[in-house]
Amino acid sequence: MKRILSFLLTMAMIFSLAACGSATDSESFSSSDPGQYRAETKAENTEEAILSEGADREGKEPGTGNVLVAYFSWADNAILAEDVDAVSSPSVLPPGNVQQLAAWVREQTGGDIFSIRVTDPYPSDWDECLERANEERGENTRPELIENVANLDRYDAVFLGYPNWWYGVPMALLSFLEQNDLSGKQVYLFCSHGTGGLAGSVEQITEVAPDAVISDNIFDCYEEEAASSEEAIKAWIDGLGYGSQTDAEHGSRTEAEEEVADMSEKQISVQFGDTEVIYELNGSPAAESLYEMLPFTVEVEDYSTNEKIFYPPEELACVETPLASSDTGEGTLAYYEPWRDVVMFYAGFNENSSLYELGYAVSGIENISRMPGTITIEAIE
Ligand SMILES: Cc1cc2nc3c(=O)[nH]c(=O)nc-3n(C[C@H](O)[C@H](O)[C@H](O)COP(=O)(O)O)c2cc1C
């Protein structure tokens, strides 16, 4: 609630400043009746957006083909300072609303997940983030992205998720659409927002991706309902014909999983003093890229009450790497892509759409929590 009030107040403040010469060309925002504003913008969307009603990609039955779940969420794009004061200044905390929705879409479709991330992350402070996003919008900026989707051609359907930022999409979503050609692909939109609803987001997307087949069946949810929307978004996916199917039926995970299964089981040793933990890698591209970097010595840090983390010398490639499952629990070796750190769990953990599985400890699990400052990691030949 505090976040909404802060948002409305900030919006009102920025827009009153905007009237005095800022670059924004937005419609005026009525904070006195946000509900009415929401209803109006939704009606506009339905009438004006150039959408393909019930359309599906030519030659493909709905619910078939390889699925990509691409999304933008503030939580994956913020500088997460440890000393953020969440009381005096509402701030971002993972999981983000869209990040959480995307994880459920991925779960239900069996698709691959891709987080749209900018090279210059946004402030974790709410007001500062609003300000920067407003500047980018006023200047029609295209923020630089860390990476684009590898092998985009292999996907038939794309579930595209985003939050409403300033009556439209975050500008990074436009960078994504301009750099990753969705022409001819079946696109399903899902969005989380405040009182503004979808606002102009669908028109913006349609304008930059005119040849994508964008379904008019859009999932959207109010920000405070996002965390409890699992059932609703999965039902939406069911309605599209993608629900409750195995990965094998969709094909997109199958290839990756086959690749993983085909690889020989590589082991690595994490050593400190005369103690070691041995991990068996899962053969995924991310695990392989870690393996290629060995050996190295690195500082290990404590994080929360269940993780030891370290930063490998280079970023790991996460495409076609499975997400870490909480079922695996302690002993899991994982990679948190937004922070680019390798995580060694010594207790249970929560799943996250940016947390990828690298492998599992097969020996010395009990030593993980005792790891001191410096560790050496080597391949076991
Ligand atoms: C920079 C910024 C601008 C926003 N602008 C709007 C807006 O114009 N209308 C609206 O309804 N919500 C707006 N919101 C609220 C977000 O759409 C909403 O909190 C969403 O659930 C956030 O999803 P996320 O946590 O995945 O980033 C804005 C949020 C931010 C951070």
Side-chain angles (χ1 to χ4, degrees):
M1 193 59 198
K2 189 171 193 312
R3 243 169 82 144
I4 301 173
L5 284 176
S6 166
F7 175 68
L8 292 175
L9 283 172
T10 313
M11 290 291 221
M13 200 178 78
I14 294 178
F15 274 89
S16 60
L17 290 175
C20 307
S22 156
T24 181
D25 61 350
S26 162
E27 58 273 64
S28 65
F29 179 79
S30 160
S31 59
S32 59
D33 189 357
Q36 181 192 352
Y37 171 79
R38 183 183 190 194
E40 279 166 6
T41 50
K42 286 195 107 165
E44 260 170 40
N45 285 331
T46 321
E47 282 164 24
E48 289 174 16
I50 311 154
L51 298 173
S52 54
E53 195 172 343
D56 289 298
R57 194 180 182 207
E58 212 176 306
K60 284 276 174 193
E61 287 297 313
T64 63
N66 293 335
V67 172
L68 175 71
V69 184
Y71 73 95
F72 178 96
S73 185
W74 185 23
D76 278 354
N77 282 282
I79 309 156
L80 294 177
E82 277 175 21
D83 57 351
V84 166
D85 179 353
V87 177
S88 66
S89 174
S91 55
V92 66
L93 281 179
N97 291 337
V98 179
Q99 187 185 32
Q100 176 62 84
L101 296 176
W104 288 324
V105 176
R106 194 248 144 223
E107 225 173 87
Q108 195 73 349
T109 59
D112 291 335
I113 197 149
F114 180 84
S115 170
I116 300 168
R117 287 181 299 124
V118 294
T119 52
D120 182 13
Y122 294 85
S124 58
D125 176 84
W126 177 254
D127 296 336
E128 287 171 26
C129 182
L130 279 182
E131 198 177 328
R132 170 152 151 216
N134 191 36
E135 269 168 29
E136 288 185 350
R137 180 178 179 278
E139 290 161 11
N140 199 19
T141 306
R142 294 293 182 270
E144 190 187 6
L145 303 184
I146 288 179
E147 60 181 346
N148 290 311
V149 177
N151 302 323
L152 186 59
D153 284 352
R154 68 193 293 269
Y155 299 106
D156 304 292
V158 179
F159 285 76
L160 186 62
Y162 58 93
N164 175 346
W165 272 22
W166 286 105
Y167 308 99
V169 296
M171 300 311 279
L173 204 88
L174 301 183
S175 307
F176 172 81
L177 289 168
E178 286 173 1
Q179 292 170 29
N180 296 270
D181 186 4
L182 303 189
S183 298
K185 295 188 193 300
Q186 178 65 55
V187 176
Y188 298 104
L189 304 178
F190 60 100
C191 170
S192 176
H193 49 73
T195 53
L198 294 169
S201 62
V202 183
E203 287 86 340
Q204 279 180 295
I205 292 168
T206 309
E207 199 179 319
V208 289
D211 297 322
V213 185
I214 302 173
S215 169
D216 63 351
N217 190 346
I218 297 168
F219 180 88
D220 75 294
C221 71
Y222 181 51
E223 57 191 354
E224 294 202 351
E225 285 157 15
S228 55
S229 292
E230 178 171 5
E231 213 176 299
I233 198 161
K234 287 186 171 175
W236 172 65
I237 293 164
D238 278 346
L240 298 173
Y242 285 87
S244 307
Q245 295 190 34
T246 62
D247 294 344
E249 280 168 310
H250 287 299
S252 60
R253 301 299 312 176
T254 318
E255 234 177 73
E257 281 170 5
E258 271 169 11
E259 235 171 73
V260 167
D262 285 350
M263 283 179 166
S264 58
E265 288 156 358
K266 289 179 177 156
Q267 293 192 338
I268 62 172
S269 151
V270 178
Q271 300 158 14
F272 49 100
D274 53 6
T275 309
E276 75 173 351
V277 180
I278 296 176
Y279 286 98
E280 191 161 284
L281 300 182
N282 63 8
S284 64
E288 281 296 298
S289 54
L290 177 68
Y291 193 80
E292 293 303 314
M293 291 171 207
L294 302 179
F296 60 79
T297 296
V298 71
E299 290 302 299
V300 72
E301 297 170 25
D302 281 305
Y303 189 78
S304 189
T305 52
N306 58 343
E307 311 175 16
K308 291 280 181 176
I309 64 167
F310 66 83
Y311 293 87
E314 287 167 47
E315 197 177 337
L316 307 190
C318 291
V319 174
E320 295 180 10
T321 295
L323 293 176
S325 159
S326 56
D327 294 343
T328 322
E330 66 171 326
T332 300
L333 183 70
Y335 181 64
Y336 187 55
E337 197 183 24
W339 295 354
R340 300 177 192 174
D341 61 327
V342 172
V343 185
M344 296 174 284
F345 287 105
Y346 53 88
F349 61 90
N350 292 326
E351 291 175 14
N352 181 296
S353 61
S354 301
L355 184 69
Y356 294 88
E357 184 193 282
L358 301 176
Y360 187 74
V362 290
S363 159
I365 293 186
E366 68 284 0
N367 297 326
I368 301 173
S369 62
R370 298 195 290 113
M371 276 183 202
T374 306
I375 54 172
T376 297
I377 309 175
E378 287 176 359
I380 299 177
E381 303 294 345

